Amino acid sequence: MTWSKLDTYLFPLALSTESPAGTFEMDVASGQMQWSRGLFSIHGLGKGEVVPTFELLMAHKHPQDRGPVRAVWLDLMEAGGHGALLHRVIDTRGKERRVFSAIHALADPSGHVNCIRGFMVDVTQSLRIESQAAASEAIEGAYAHKAVIEQAKGIVMTLHGVEAESAFKILADQSQHTNTKLHVVAEELAKAAAAGKAREALESFR
């Protein structure tokens, strides 16, 4: 009998956000399985729509993940133990889902594995939000750095009477010489300019 209760909480998702999850149990000898309603849902199926089996479970794995996932399962069937997998599932609509599954292979006193049970959680939405947040942060950082670098270029152009390309080279050379990131060199020059010490700061450039 499959686990009857599985509450899932994925962050940075809000607690009220639905996180599809389900439980499973497999009879190793027959390969037949019992899936909870949530596991059917992750695979794009309605409960009872098909008879779940180990081969059906494997058929829904992403082609690139199927081999490694099968290998983990077969190892657990042979020796027992616990396993955890982050992999991809392709549901009946062709949608790719990122899932995390935990597997427990139960061995009898003789070491023979008769039953495997576990759970699966769809983490697609959580990973997507994290990826989007990381991308936004990177973009915002790039724009912020660009602004201060352009400001520093303007300072160099004004004080040295050079074109933009030459001003950038002066900043880049200082960055390389001091092993300091370009935007940090630019920020320090901008701060010096705000304090009325831009000329002194530039004179320290080598």
Side-chain angles (χ1 to χ4, degrees):
M1 187 173 180
T2 55
W3 300 341
S4 59
K5 180 175 175 60
L6 179 61
D7 294 328
T8 56
Y9 306 98
L10 302 182
F11 301 100
L13 300 182
L15 288 177
S16 59
T17 304
E18 181 182 358
S19 303
T23 60
F24 57 82
E25 187 168 314
M26 183 180 80
D27 177 76
V28 174
S30 67
Q32 292 186 346
M33 303 186 74
Q34 296 181 55
W35 290 3
S36 70
R37 184 179 303 278
L39 205 72
F40 277 104
S41 178
I42 288 174
H43 291 81
L45 296 163
K47 185 173 177 59
E49 189 173 334
V50 297
V51 176
T53 63
F54 174 68
E55 290 306 324
L56 177 66
L57 184 74
M58 291 300 113
H60 277 280
K61 305 305 179 188
H62 188 285
Q64 293 178 348
D65 298 348
R66 189 176 299 134
V69 170
R70 181 185 287 272
V72 170
W73 271 80
L74 293 179
D75 183 63
L76 291 172
M77 288 181 198
E78 179 68 24
H82 297 70
L85 299 164
L86 179 62
H87 60 288
R88 293 165 291 181
V89 163
I90 307 297
D91 69 16
T92 56
R93 295 178 291 275
K95 178 182 177 182
E96 181 180 304
R97 297 172 179 260
R98 296 273 179 166
V99 300
F100 172 80
S101 59
I103 310 163
H104 182 198
L106 307 171
D108 61 23
S110 68
H112 183 70
V113 177
N114 297 307
C115 174
I116 293 181
R117 65 189 315 199
F119 65 86
M120 182 181 294
V121 182
D122 186 340
V123 297
T124 308
Q125 188 175 359
S126 182
L127 292 177
R128 182 183 297 120
I129 289 175
E130 288 188 352
S131 296
Q132 290 172 343
S136 296
E137 184 178 344
I139 292 170
E140 289 171 3
Y143 276 112
H145 293 166
K146 182 178 179 181
V148 75
I149 290 170
E150 289 299 318
Q151 182 182 359
K153 278 170 56 179
I155 294 168
V156 176
M157 290 167 65
T158 299
L159 295 180
H160 279 1
V162 296
E163 298 297 325
E165 185 175 347
S166 297
F168 181 82
K169 186 176 185 305
I170 290 172
L171 295 171
D173 288 346
Q174 178 69 1
S175 170
Q176 184 175 7
H177 177 73
T178 60
N179 193 28
T180 306
K181 291 184 178 179
L182 181 61
H183 73 87
V184 174
V185 171
E187 287 169 358
E188 291 175 350
L189 181 56
K191 288 178 182 178
K197 298 180 179 180
R199 193 173 298 277
E200 291 91 331
L202 275 175
E203 288 175 353
S204 69
F205 282 21
R206 296 184 182 180

